[in-house]
Amino acid sequence: MIVGMKKTKFYIYYMLVFTLLFVMVSKEVQAAPSVSAHRAILMDGETGRILYEKDAHSRSRIASITKIMTAVLAVESGRMDEEVTVSENASGTEGSSLYLKAGEKIKLEDLVYGLMLRSGNDSAVAIAEFVGGSLEGFVHLMNQKAAEIGMKDSHFSNPHGLDDHEDHYSTAYDMALLTKYAMENDLYKKIAGTKVHTAPNPEEKWDRKWKNKNRLVTELYKYSTGGKTGYTKLAKRTLVSTASKDGENLIAVTLNAPDDWNDHIGMFEYGFEQFDYKIVLEKGDIAKFDDDFYKGKVFVKRDAILSLQSGEEDSVRIEYKMLKPKKEWKEYRNVPEVVGKAVIYLGNEEAEALPVYFKKEKEPVKEKSWWNFWSYSIETFLGVNQNG
């Protein structure tokens, strides 16, 4: 009987251990999200680290997520309070529309809200003509900004994303880069995350009222902070979205995704569960430094933060690449402000780099004595120190 009880306890213990291991393994197997999109990416909005990707660097049609670039250029123009006169060309633009009328005047800021919330193609053309001087001029600005951001596999041919140019394309990765850049602008961030916007309508007795088409923002995902929807017959469904939870900011992009709402929720949940921000180098003095010349005299101005999975801390290493001290640096005032950089590696890949600054001692301020002050004042009064 006792033997039987021992066997029973053993089997119960065995099953508990087996169940625990199964749950742990299952979590690892299910960690990577499953998405319907042909191309997708999940990027950390602060560090730029790619947390998940699926064919993220293939060039594709992108439809109306193009309008993120259009909105960025409008916001950065510094003319958001100015009125735009809508042209016939703008009012006649096909596709999704704000139903703008030729000749009407509307504030640029309201046009950007209509662009992002209702995906107005007429608004995109009106913005482009106003900010760029012409459609061609604005397209030039779009490609110039893309190069500045580092969107190496993107080319813009219009401000709205309609399928009228074959050389209008981007990638999931490039659109995440653009969104990361855009979300650093507070006004853009506010507009992209707005649920409803009201704009004056001088032609009617009532105001215009635009509800955001992005259902993640309006109803589906409580951590959503913005984004842009898109669709054309050739591009299919495209979506860029952002989300924040407990201080962690994520960016998701899907191209040609039949089930894009769930794709984005799945990617966000994966990112929030699997990754956390860790400070890998604290701002201030660099304590561990072997070089005798720099030891105790160098610092960084901000924290280096990485988005890491559990256990990845051991894969982080820091390498300091410093300028070789020169003879004229014997007097410390000749040392340049920036003397190197701290390169943070995650495994074998560079994840972050911070400038390393040299700490210069301030020269003591010479205090004027009471006698020197009055002596100088009397001499000045008598004209002793005057030139000529």
Side-chain angles (χ1 to χ4, degrees), residues 292-325:
D292 291 335
F293 181 84
Y294 289 121
K295 191 173 183 179
K297 299 184 181 70
V298 286
F299 66 100
V300 291
K301 291 186 177 181
R302 66 175 176 85
D303 294 331
I305 300 173
L306 296 185
S307 185
L308 301 176
Q309 285 183 299
S310 178
E312 280 192 314
E313 294 91 337
D314 294 337
S315 301
V316 177
R317 63 183 177 86
I318 303 172
E319 184 178 322
Y320 295 99
K321 298 183 178 181
M322 310 297 292
L323 296 175
K324 186 177 180 180

Side-chain angles (χ1 to χ4, degrees), residues 203-256:
E203 302 293 323
E204 303 291 347
K205 294 180 180 179
W206 56 86
D207 290 339
R208 293 183 169 108
K209 192 172 184 179
W210 297 317
K211 182 181 177 181
N212 200 326
K213 285 186 175 183
N214 186 346
R215 292 179 60 204
L216 292 175
V217 170
T218 58
E219 57 182 296
L220 293 179
Y221 195 58
K222 66 180 180 179
Y223 302 116
S224 179
T225 56
K228 182 71 191 75
T229 60
Y231 174 81
T232 65
K233 289 182 179 180
L234 296 180
K236 307 302 180 186
R237 291 178 66 89
T238 63
L239 180 63
V240 172
S241 66
T242 57
S244 296
K245 181 182 178 182
D246 298 330
E248 190 174 357
N249 304 310
L250 302 180
I251 298 165
V253 182
T254 50
L255 305 178
N256 192 349

